[in-house]
């Protein structure tokens, strides 16, 4: 992480934008499109970068082999390929796309690629909506030549990571799946228990349809999933090119399974499997076959997460109370910072690269009727000698005077965290909270993990 810090790029914008694109030294303008109004982008990868390089390690974990360490064999699905971190299987194409390519070697062994987000906290803000979307062209292969191809864009509940035996209670959202080069997108929810249960495992609750206008294999399409906590009952929805083709409601699967799978955040995965239960089941025989061709890539233009409405932040968690820990990366808007992933196991995400003039915005923070008198933030700094700055709190407008602040300089490193309190003038009621960063030097001077208030 420290090696990419020098490449920090100023983001001269007022709304939340692509935040986790590091290293940024070669990044062109991000082209992830803004969705219809009301959405706040909380994360994205546009896959901009040099051809034949791996996707950003700040954003992605590369899965390799035939299983997670200690997890079920063949990734629990019967798929046969060996995932690698070779750029033959997994690379940027130089034209703004990620390319995942299954390859068969001379002995008939298949390799391919699979990545999952470092972040595992994708969820709606309380009472709001989470939108996950990717623009993807499936491998351009059909008929017998496509037998066994199984591209997927999906999400798994965070507790799966490191456990691997708690599926499907932790939840799985298959935003886009496809097998055997059929012109169809499948959207599936997995939940509850296996076999059977409220999600009819191991099939899950799914629906499918043909891609609009052009086939899934011959063109890019957008695949979108929404987790909506703003409606009653809560709802999950699946779309292709903006056309809804599947939904599941809380009442359909019952409160037990629903609350289990929504108690956690999610991480996002992209992969192209080869063979396994799904393509075999659809084909009616084992795949791949001798007719299956090697080397057809899935192309991913972007993957992005947006939230709409609710309270407690774009990244989820935190709630609306000033007295909860408000995760820094749960901002609704920001300028100049980036979300970073801590390198230590105890880490998670933080907001980093903060320098003079940068800011974070948190909407609808509730201080209650009894005045808050203290502000505390967990911060770290690897700033150089002589570099320091103020972490300030302002209410309702960035041009208002700070109600409190503390000064921070080098804490021993960019992940040497300490919680620093500051007194604030008494605050009651509900406010937009701005954390602003002020320094006499231009260099980045602080990372912030979370903030909270006290009485
Ligand atoms: Ca792109």
């Amino acid at each position: 992480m420290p090696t990419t810090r020098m490449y920090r790029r100023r983001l001269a914008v007022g709304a939340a934008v692509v935040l986790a694109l590091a290293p940024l030294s070669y990044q062109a303008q991000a082209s992830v499109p803004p969705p219809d109004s009301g959405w706040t982008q909380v994360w994205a990868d546009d896959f901009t970068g040099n051809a034949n390089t791996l996707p950003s390690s700040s954003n992605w974990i590369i899965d390799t082999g035939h299983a997670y360490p200690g997890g079920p064999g063949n990734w629990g699905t019967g798929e046969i390929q060996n995932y690698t971190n070779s750029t033959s299987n997994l690379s940027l194409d130089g034209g703004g796309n990620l390319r995942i390519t299954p390859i068969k070697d001379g002995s008939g062994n298949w390799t391919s690629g699979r990545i999952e987000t470092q972040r595992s906290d994708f969820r709606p803000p309380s009472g709001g909506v989470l939108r996950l979307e990717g623009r993807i062209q499936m491998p351009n292969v059909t008929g017998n030549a496509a037998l066994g191809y199984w591209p997927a864009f999906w999400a798994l509940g965070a507790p799966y990571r490191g456990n691997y035996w708690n599926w499907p209670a932790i939840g799985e959202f298959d935003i886009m799946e496809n097998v055997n080069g059929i012109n169809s997108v499948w959207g599936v929810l997995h939940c509850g228990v296996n076999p059977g249960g409220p999600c009819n495992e191991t099939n899950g609750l799914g629906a499918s349809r043909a891609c609009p206008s052009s086939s899934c294999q011959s063109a890019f399409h957008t695949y979108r999933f929404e987790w909506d906590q703003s409606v009653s009952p809560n709802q999950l929805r699946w779309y292709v090119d903006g056309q809804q083709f599947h939904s599941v409601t809380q009442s359909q699967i019952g409160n037990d399974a629903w609350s289990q799978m929504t108690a956690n955040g999610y991480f996002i995965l992209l992969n192209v499997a080869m063979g396994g239960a799904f393509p075999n089941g659809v084909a009616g025989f084992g795949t791949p076959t001798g007719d299956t061709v090697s080397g057809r890539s899935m192309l991913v233009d972007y993957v992005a997460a947006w939230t709409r409405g609710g309270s407690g932040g774009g990244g989820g968690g935190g709630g609306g109370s000033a007295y909860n820990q408000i995760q820094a990366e749960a901002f609704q808007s920001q300028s100049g910072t980036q979300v970073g992933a801590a390198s230590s196991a105890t880490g998670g995400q933080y907001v980093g690269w903060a320098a003079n003039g940068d800011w974070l915005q948190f909407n609808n923070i509730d201080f209650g009727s009894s005045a808050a008198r203290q502000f505390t933030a967990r911060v770290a700094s690897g700033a150089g000698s002589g570099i320091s700055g103020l972490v300030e709190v302002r209410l309702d407008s960035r041009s208002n005077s700070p109600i409190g602040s503390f000064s921070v300089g080098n804490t021993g490193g960019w992940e040497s965290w300490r919680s620093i309190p500051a007194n604030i003038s008494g605050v009651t009621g509900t406010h937009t909270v701005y954390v602003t960063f002020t320094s006499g030097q231009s260099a980045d001077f602080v990372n912030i993990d979370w903030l909270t208030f006290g009485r």
Side-chain angles (χ1 to χ4, degrees), residues 10-30:
R10 302 294 300 186
L11 298 169
V13 291
V17 296
V18 181
L19 294 173
L21 295 170
L24 289 165
S25 53
Y26 51 69
Q27 293 286 356
Q29 276 196 322

Side-chain angles (χ1 to χ4, degrees), residues 118-124 158 264-267 314-317 329 349:
Q118 296 274 2
R119 279 184 67 161
S120 61
D121 62 348
F122 295 108
R123 60 186 307 172
N264 47 257
Y266 281 73
F267 57 95
E329 68 274 13
Q349 276 80 45

Side-chain angles (χ1 to χ4, degrees), residues 31 45-48 95-97 300-302:
S31 63
D45 197 326
D46 198 35
F47 300 117
T48 304
N97 302 306
V300 186
D301 177 9
Y302 66 80

